[in-house]
Amino acid sequence: MTGTVTTPLLAKIKQHIADHGPMTIAQYMNLCLSDPKHGYYMTQQPFGTKGDFTTAPEISQLFGELIGAWLLHQWISQDLKDPIQLVEIGPGRGTLMKDILRVISLRPQMLAQTQIHLVETSPSLRKVQKKQLKAYEIKWHDNLQNIPKGPTLLVANELFDALPIHQYQLTDTGWRERCVGLNDDQELAIGIGSGTLSPVDVAKANLQAKLGDTLEVSPASNAIASSIAQRIKENGGAALVIDYGYSKTATGDSFQAMKSHEYVSVLEHCGEADLTAHVNFQALANAAKAEGAHAHGPIGQGDFLLALGLLERAGQLGAGKSTLDQDQIRKDVERLAAPDKMGTLFKVLCLTASAIQPIPFNS
Ligand SMILES: C[S@@+](CC[C@H](N)C(=O)[O-])C[C@H]1O[C@@H](n2cnc3c(N)ncnc32)[C@H](O)[C@@H]1O
């Protein structure tokens, strides 16, 4: 694979490799997404039809409204006490939080008790969020550390797929880390580096792997899952992690790039394409359990939304609208919940402090 599109970040990455040798996939992903000057989330407007991809809240307000209803149910069923810390990590354009707050506003008592926090690393997306959520008092953070104590209701939608992964390949000398280096033509190329996977990680993965298989691990994701779990354990409340990925650790290369709604090579368009990898929900649940939190699921996004009343709310939303609008609502429902669209690949994991059985994870 060669990097053919010249971008400002490509020159910086090539120079880094020339000076320091090949970089891990995690380093490469981190630079492409979060380089302060040229990183994808720092410079691009990635969402929507004009962007590179669309997320569930950008498809339909139904998604955020049902999440809002679930959070409201947690407030009531867990009898959460004032002040409630409502937190979203990786809020994108702020659309999900806006839809959640519209539902929470139906219970003015809950809204009055709620402090709203957005954890966002991109200054340009913070500006978009500020505009979208100007009706509310909101605090922005770089991480969870400085959010005040209090029962916490936390959501992270499509955050974890954007966090850096390391890739290891099983070779005849054991698991070796895959790295980004330069080929003979001085173009970017992926090869096998000298790094190895720790025997602890191999044992934890408990895999039947064969020669050539790839294993992905994301210490950055596990660290965020740990801090979410710590927070929920100490303060009570609940967290929902929604993303695409696999329920149990498995081998496979899921590192991918998207530009203008098309898959492109991960080495092209450095800093100008979205880079993601599938989320390992088992690893996130294990990291949370290690902090003493309880993990529920993951269950498919389709099952989650349908159990919360997706069809009923869609019917309500479409009532009295034109046939064109009703058709669009039907298409949105299908996209969010059908097994061959986002219904199965996308999953929902719930974290709680105690062994309660939150709906619909209890069925
Ligand atoms: C794929 S977007 C998802 C946006 C939104 N949740 C949605 O569903 O439309 C990823 C978001 O996570 C943010 N992000 C990436 N890394 C982050 C980190 N380490 N901490 C907080 N936010 C992060 C990005 O800037 C962006 O807002």
Side-chain angles (χ1 to χ4, degrees):
M1 278 195 271
T2 54
T4 48
V5 180
T6 305
T7 67
L9 192 58
L10 178 64
K12 183 172 173 174
I13 288 176
K14 281 186 173 178
Q15 191 57 53
H16 190 284
I17 294 171
D19 293 345
H20 305 283
M23 60 175 69
T24 64
I25 301 282
Q27 265 177 302
Y28 175 75
M29 213 172 156
N30 204 26
L31 277 172
C32 288
L33 295 178
S34 305
D35 178 79
K37 205 158 160 206
H38 306 298
Y40 181 72
Y41 280 112
M42 306 297 151
T43 57
Q44 309 282 315
Q45 291 295 335
F47 310 92
T49 42
K50 286 201 188 122
D52 296 313
F53 60 90
T54 303
T55 58
E58 302 298 333
I59 291 171
S60 167
Q61 68 187 78
L62 292 166
F63 181 80
E65 287 176 352
L66 292 172
I67 304 269
W70 188 89
L71 296 171
L72 205 144
H73 183 263
Q74 292 310 306
W75 173 64
I76 297 168
S77 61
Q78 292 195 42
D79 191 20
L80 300 178
K81 301 287 182 247
D82 190 7
I84 297 155
Q85 309 299 345
L86 175 62
V87 183
E88 184 178 0
I89 317 182
R93 296 182 63 240
T95 308
L96 173 57
M97 184 52 87
K98 193 173 172 189
D99 292 337
I100 288 173
L101 288 169
R102 199 171 51 254
V103 172
I104 289 182
S105 303
L106 298 174
R107 286 288 186 118
Q109 195 197 342
M110 179 175 176
L111 190 65
Q113 293 181 3
T114 299
Q115 296 176 2
I116 310 160
H117 304 275
L118 298 182
V119 181
E120 174 58 73
T121 45
S122 158
S124 68
L125 284 174
R126 279 188 186 201
K127 277 191 201 144
V128 178
Q129 293 152 16
K130 223 166 242 169
K131 208 165 155 196
Q132 169 105 275
L133 294 161
K134 58 180 182 299
Y136 301 96
E137 195 181 315
I138 295 191
K139 290 202 168 61
W140 274 264
H141 307 263
D142 292 330
N143 53 49
L144 291 177
Q145 308 319 321
N146 294 326
I147 295 177
K149 287 190 191 314
T152 299
L153 293 173
L154 184 147
V155 182
N157 184 60
E158 287 208 48
L159 163 75
F160 285 94
D161 66 50
L163 297 179
I165 53 152
H166 291 263
Q167 283 192 329
Y168 296 89
Q169 195 169 328
L170 189 55
T171 70
D172 44 17
T173 57
W175 288 99
R176 300 276 160 205
E177 182 150 19
R178 299 184 84 217
C179 290
V180 179
L182 295 174
N183 64 16
D184 293 343
D185 298 327
Q186 296 303 296
E187 296 292 351
L188 295 186
I190 293 183
I192 305 291
S194 54
T196 57
L197 191 58
S198 88
V200 179
D201 281 335
V202 177
K204 263 201 247 163
N206 190 23
L207 286 171
Q208 299 293 324
K210 57 184 188 316
L211 220 58
D213 278 353
T214 302
L215 180 67
E216 296 175 341
V217 294
S218 179
S221 298
N222 300 342
I224 293 186
S226 296
S227 36
I228 294 174
Q230 260 172 29
R231 180 158 187 106
I232 298 293
K233 183 72 194 162
E234 281 166 20
N235 294 274
L240 282 183
V241 171
I242 308 145
D243 226 308
Y244 60 100
Y246 38 99
S247 305
K248 298 255 175 279
T249 302
T251 54
D253 176 0
S254 75
F255 186 33
Q256 64 186 34
M258 248 199 171
K259 187 160 177 60
S260 307
H261 299 267
E262 303 275 346
Y263 289 106
V264 293
S265 154
V266 292
L267 299 181
E268 284 178 56
H269 310 284
C270 291
E272 294 179 1
D274 185 40
L275 293 181
T276 60
H278 286 209
V279 170
N280 182 343
F281 281 96
Q282 186 178 13
L284 299 188
N286 286 345
K289 286 183 203 159
E291 300 298 332
H294 289 254
H296 312 269
I299 61 174
Q301 176 173 297
D303 287 343
F304 178 78
L305 295 176
L306 288 167
L308 293 184
L310 177 65
L311 299 181
E312 293 78 0
R313 176 65 188 129
Q316 219 177 33
L317 195 62
K321 297 252 171 76
S322 68
T323 318
L324 211 65
D325 286 344
Q326 288 177 346
D327 275 352
Q328 187 58 51
I329 293 171
R330 250 191 299 277
K331 276 185 198 147
D332 294 344
V333 165
E334 200 183 326
R335 201 158 165 202
L336 291 173
D340 61 339
K341 304 277 189 337
M342 297 173 83
T344 308
L345 177 61
F346 280 73
K347 298 177 175 62
V348 188
L349 176 73
C350 173
L351 304 178
T352 58
S354 57
I356 55 169
Q357 290 293 314
I359 55 153
F361 298 89
N362 48 359
S363 53

